[in-house]
Amino acid sequence: MDHIVTDILEFIFLMWFAIFSAGTLDVLINIGIIILKIAAVVAVVMTHVAYATYFERKAIGHMQVRLGPMRVGPHGILQPIADFVKLFFKEDIIPAQADKPLFYIAPVIAVFAAMSSLAVIPFFNGFVIANLNIGLLFILAMSSIGAYGIIMAGWSSNSKYSFLGGLRSSAQVISYEIAMGLSLVGVVMMAGSLNLTDIVKAQQAYPLKMYIFPQFLGFFVFMVAAFAETNRTPFDLPEAESELVAGYFVEYSGMRFALFFAAEYIGMILMALLGAICYLGGWNGPFQIPYIPFAWLLVKVYCIVFLFYWVRATVPRYRYDQLMALGWKIMIPLTLLNIVITGVIKILT
Amino acid sequence: MLPQVLFLYFAFAIVALSLAVITRKNPVHSVIFMLVLFFHIAALYLTLNAEFLAAIQIIVYAGAILVLFLFVVLMLNLKEEVTEHRYISLWAVGVLLSIAISAIFLMTLSSIPLGAKGVFSPDVIASETHTVALGKLLYTEFLYPFEIASVILLVAIVGAVVLAKKRLKS
């Protein structure tokens, strides 16, 4: 037994030696830097997710003349931590008739799809985990994968409420994905690139360093589609609590429920980031803020996230056929019009 | 070395996943294996620097077509399908026939003439970026085939609308 262990150790040592002697130390350092970047982005985004739930409850509370969370810490500031501890230690209940493998991986797919999109987001000049040439397409691809988490959760729970919620949600996400993709085509045409860093840099020549003025039509459709993609009010039919209890994640509890919850909020922050980068000029602002290169991006993201809260407190839920008619008959033709106008202006100038 | 290892992995994984797709008893599981299969095909495109094609593979096939498959499978009554006997009594003949056909394919493999090598090697694509290269070719050299394909798709869309449309009382 002993000499097997020493053999394995020797083999590992030789492998390491081979790797180092081949002069690939730089590669390892690069991998280390990438891992550090990923850790930084995940830590920052997860903190934002936790406090997005807190500020949502606070903001909507005050809009409805309530106080919102007040008990845990001053003004309830520690509420997200208490929520997390509660969800983490709750019992993980799995329905007896559930399709177990799919039930297990559905929340993981939802979180994976939301998190991996963060890899191509440029937070400030030069800081992006993966500077892909097709960054925008990558985000669209990942958001279409997110639909699988929802459908699989709905189906594998073996409950009619989950199933109906899953079907509604996937149909909605697929329909509005088209509007979202087409609304971003205008931005891509103006910037001449699918790389998000290039898109931000291309906006510097425009008023306020933003595309929102020439692309106001695209921005409007993008924001509507972003609400539908993230299943937020007024398009939160998949979770319509008066009809479907909670939609596709009715049967989930404890940490698995928390994963779905996190995926929804990461999706919301991701849409805010995408809107800020594609239409509001990303990290550029009217003047430079010293030492904090991502300050303007944060301000813009917070504004868009606040818009999500504001709309939720203001607008009632749509009916399902109205939602589909809005997506297919108004939003998609508007984006096509936007593409034609952008193309004509681009040819003329 | 690394590209070959990657290719071998993807090739074997694609074959294994295709087998998994057709052998699962539960159609929903088949569709999920197909999803993983599409990811592997997209990764295979990436090894050739065809990043645009890889993204489109995920968006169109995994994001749209497979979801429709999944919808159809979910709408069917699964319980009967799962319990029913899955092979007809003539399955041995089917196996023999497929072996014979693949033997013929293998024998003719050596006599297939290879086309002339094009200008777009993975290195050229990497320097020009795949989206630009594809767009230029599609809208200049291959404009007519592209437009014809678009018209065929349009015909399919119009046909689907006509089939699904309710007859108005006149």
Side-chain angles (χ1 to χ4, degrees), chain B residues 20-34:
Chain B
V21 170
I22 56 170
T23 50
R24 290 308 92 192
K25 276 195 171 174
N26 191 328
V28 176
H29 291 177
S30 290
V31 173
I32 299 304
F33 274 111
M34 206 157 170

Side-chain angles (χ1 to χ4, degrees), chain B:
Chain B
M1 179 61 192
L2 194 62
Q4 278 89 337
V5 172
L6 279 177
F7 179 79
L8 270 183
Y9 164 70
F10 287 122
F12 276 108
I14 284 171
V15 173
L17 287 166
S18 322
L19 285 176
V21 170
I22 56 170
T23 50
R24 290 308 92 192
K25 276 195 171 174
N26 191 328
V28 176
H29 291 177
S30 290
V31 173
I32 299 304
F33 274 111
M34 206 157 170
L35 173 67
V36 184
L37 173 68
F38 284 159
F39 265 93
H40 280 76
I41 294 174
L44 209 53
Y45 289 143
L46 280 184
T47 61
L48 296 172
N49 283 331
E51 47 196 14
F52 184 79
L53 209 54
I56 292 299
Q57 165 84 15
I58 299 292
I59 293 174
V60 174
Y61 280 92
I65 293 177
L66 205 60
V67 174
L68 291 183
F69 272 34
L70 204 52
F71 266 42
V72 173
V73 168
L74 293 178
M75 297 294 185
L76 298 175
N77 194 357
L78 283 174
K79 302 266 161 24
E80 282 173 30
E81 189 65 37
V82 174
T83 49
E84 230 171 54
H85 194 61
R86 301 173 65 224
Y87 297 104
I88 56 169
S89 51
L90 283 175
W91 65 272
V93 180
V95 169
L96 275 179
L97 269 178
S98 56
I99 289 174
I101 290 172
S102 36
I104 292 171
F105 276 139
L106 279 178
M107 280 189 282
T108 53
L109 208 58
S110 56
S111 57
I112 295 173
L114 293 174
K117 215 167 188 180
V119 276
F120 286 98
S121 64
D123 302 320
V124 175
I125 291 175
S127 67
E128 203 177 345
T129 77
H130 185 241
T131 318
V132 173
L134 193 74
K136 274 185 183 160
L137 271 187
L138 215 53
Y139 286 101
T140 54
E141 208 178 327
F142 298 105
L143 184 64
Y144 281 120
F146 179 75
E147 291 294 336
I148 291 169
S150 319
V151 170
I152 291 173
L153 286 175
L154 183 68
V155 169
I157 294 172
V158 172
V161 170
V162 168
L163 282 179
K165 193 169 176 257
K166 280 180 194 156
R167 288 211 185 280
L168 297 172
K169 278 171 193 158
S170 54

Side-chain angles (χ1 to χ4, degrees), chain A residues 53-63 67-70 75-76:
Chain A
T53 63
Y54 169 73
F55 281 108
E56 173 161 28
R57 291 165 71 180
K58 265 305 197 203
I60 291 179
H62 282 285
M63 284 174 190
L67 285 173
M70 285 296 281
H75 284 266

Side-chain angles (χ1 to χ4, degrees), chain A residues 239-254:
Chain A
E239 298 159 31
E241 64 275 351
S242 50
E243 309 154 33
L244 296 177
V245 192
Y248 55 89
F249 53 72
V250 182
E251 305 292 341
Y252 282 86
S253 57

